[in-house]
Structures are given as structure tokens and as C-alpha cells.
Amino acid sequence: MLRIIFAGCLFVVSGMSIVGQTSPVRNPAIKTVELHSPWVVKGDGRMGHDAAFHKKSCFDLLRLEWGCRGQHKLCFGNRIGDNWNIFDVPAAPTTQTRMVNIGQYDWNDKFTVPPIEPWPKLQPGETRHITIALWGADGKHGQNGDGTYPTARRREGNGNKPLDQQVSTSITMSGDVVRSDGFMPLSEAKKGSMYLIRVVDPQNDFYVFIRVDDLIRGRKVLLSYWKWEPPRSIY
């Protein structure tokens, strides 16, 4: 059940219709899709990539079906340290698609969300560079010659930190860093959370609501989704 009202800088979402500068649309078709992590434990006990699961690890945001080849896709299942349930909306040179977690909601709930600003366009020659910083904790300090131990604080590990402390981005040109960048294509998949994806490129500008209905850590996620394409006059 969904209702969207544009009011200045906010959406108000409730019920099951869309109200704005257009006629109400009743009973939007909320569908489901199950995504699988492409990483599995092999027979020798080591983690490996599974080609069959890979084909079902991505959701094509244009065709609204499984697919890992297009520019606009939602991927699931990559791992960084303890973060095993990662959503990834990969960047492409001409896309500005952005995904935001708007909170714990069901389709029947009433909630308010801001419009999603797309990621800034890159200038000619610029490239986004994503850095993943992952390190372990320092070991125990050795003993000093006098039998005491160093008082310096040991560095903590980074494997259990939130994604925004593990991942950073910068803008590069010809291999040189031009500036830091707030671009963040990764987010944690959380059961019961609603996500809003604004799909933007020179030909497209629309929204896809995604809800995590069920989640098995590191293995698969069940999503319900609904596409909404507002009239151009709203932007």
C-alpha cells in the first residue's frame, strides 16, 4: 500500500496511491525478487565464486529482472571484513544513480523521505576511485629491556567497522587525485529496511523502492520492489 505526495522538498508516503502533479495511480504492482551471494564455501572449505549464483546476484534496475550486465543494477553479496550483506549500486561514467536507506518500513506504513539527489556528474577526464581500507589489530607489544611494556595504544582492527569507515572515494584525473568525493555505492542490507534508488543517466530519471523482506546472512536476500516514474514537472 503506497501513496506519495510531493510537498516542497519532501515525499510523504502512505496508503496505496500517488498524488502529485499527476492523476492518482492505484494499486502499484509490488513484486519480489531473490538475490543470491555469488560467494560460497567450496568442498575444500575455502570461499569461492559460484557462476550460477552470480547470475542471480544482480537486479537490473531498468528491466526489473535478474541481470548483471547493464549500467544500472543492484548487486548483493560482496564481503568486506565482517560485512557480509552488502548492496552495491556500481558507478559508470555516465550514470548518477544513488541508493539511500530510508528506514525500517513496511509497504503499509506511512513515512516521509527527502528527494534523492543523484551523485554529481564527473567532469571530462575524471574517474572515481574507490579505496577499501581493511586491516587487522596490532599484536601484543613486546617487552621493554627493563621488563615493562610499552604504553602506546594498540591500533584496533578495521574488519568489524561500518562500511563508511572501510570505504572511501576520490576523484582522479590521469591517475592523480583531484579531490575527495562523498560517493558511496555500498550499503548494508538490513531486514525490514526500505531503500530508495534514484536511477539517473542522460535518458532516465526514475525511482525504485526496495524493501528487504528476508535475509540470510552472507547467502541471499528476498526483496520486494516498486518502480515509480514521476512526471518531469516534479523535478
Side-chain angles (χ1 to χ4, degrees):
M1 305 263 300
L2 198 59
R3 181 186 179 205
I4 299 179
I5 302 174
F6 254 91
C9 295
L10 298 176
F11 301 116
V12 178
V13 183
S14 66
M16 200 143 176
S17 64
I18 305 174
V19 180
Q21 299 179 31
T22 182
S23 300
V25 179
R26 301 291 178 179
N27 299 320
I30 297 172
K31 300 179 181 179
T32 60
V33 64
E34 188 173 79
L35 301 184
H36 294 257
S37 171
W39 301 103
V40 299
V41 178
K42 299 290 187 176
D44 58 4
R46 293 184 296 178
M47 188 64 63
H49 188 269
D50 186 282
F53 281 148
H54 172 74
K55 294 179 180 179
K56 294 186 177 182
S57 68
C58 312
F59 182 60
D60 189 309
L61 295 168
L62 294 182
R63 296 182 298 152
L64 299 180
E65 59 185 38
W66 283 316
C68 293
R69 294 184 180 275
Q71 286 194 103
H72 297 289
K73 53 185 175 286
L74 171 64
C75 305
F76 170 77
N78 281 332
R79 301 180 177 187
I80 301 176
D82 291 346
N83 295 303
W84 285 17
N85 303 318
I86 297 177
F87 280 139
D88 182 7
V89 180
T94 60
T95 65
Q96 298 173 262
T97 298
R98 185 173 186 174
M99 178 177 183
V100 175
N101 183 339
I102 59 177
Q104 292 271 319
Y105 296 111
D106 201 346
W107 292 104
N108 295 317
D109 295 337
K110 177 180 179 180
F111 51 97
T112 302
V113 297
I116 305 304
E117 289 295 327
W119 293 116
K121 292 182 179 179
L122 294 175
Q123 300 301 313
E126 291 184 341
T127 302
R128 280 195 173 96
H129 181 75
I130 300 174
T131 300
I132 297 177
L134 202 62
W135 61 81
D138 287 344
K140 183 178 180 180
H141 292 312
Q143 192 179 57
N144 296 323
D146 60 1
T148 63
Y149 286 89
T151 58
R153 185 175 181 179
R154 294 165 57 195
R155 184 180 66 168
E156 296 182 2
N158 200 41
N160 62 348
K161 302 298 184 183
L163 282 172
D164 60 3
Q165 295 183 36
Q166 297 175 333
V167 180
S168 61
T169 60
S170 58
I171 301 295
T172 63
M173 182 177 289
S174 300
D176 297 325
V177 176
V178 178
R179 61 184 183 277
S180 60
D181 186 34
F183 175 77
M184 181 60 170
L186 309 180
S187 57
E188 183 183 358
K190 297 181 179 181
K191 185 175 179 179
S193 283
M194 186 84 71
Y195 300 79
L196 185 57
I197 305 174
R198 184 171 178 180
V199 179
V200 180
D201 64 19
Q203 290 75 43
N204 297 283
D205 195 345
F206 60 87
Y207 294 84
V208 179
F209 286 84
I210 299 281
R211 184 180 187 275
V212 177
D213 294 336
D214 201 6
L215 177 67
I216 298 179
R217 184 175 185 266
R219 290 180 55 192
K220 62 182 179 180
V221 62
L222 178 64
L223 307 176
S224 51
Y225 64 91
W226 175 60
K227 176 183 176 181
W228 180 52
E229 190 166 6
R232 291 289 175 175
S233 59
I234 283 182
Y235 295 115

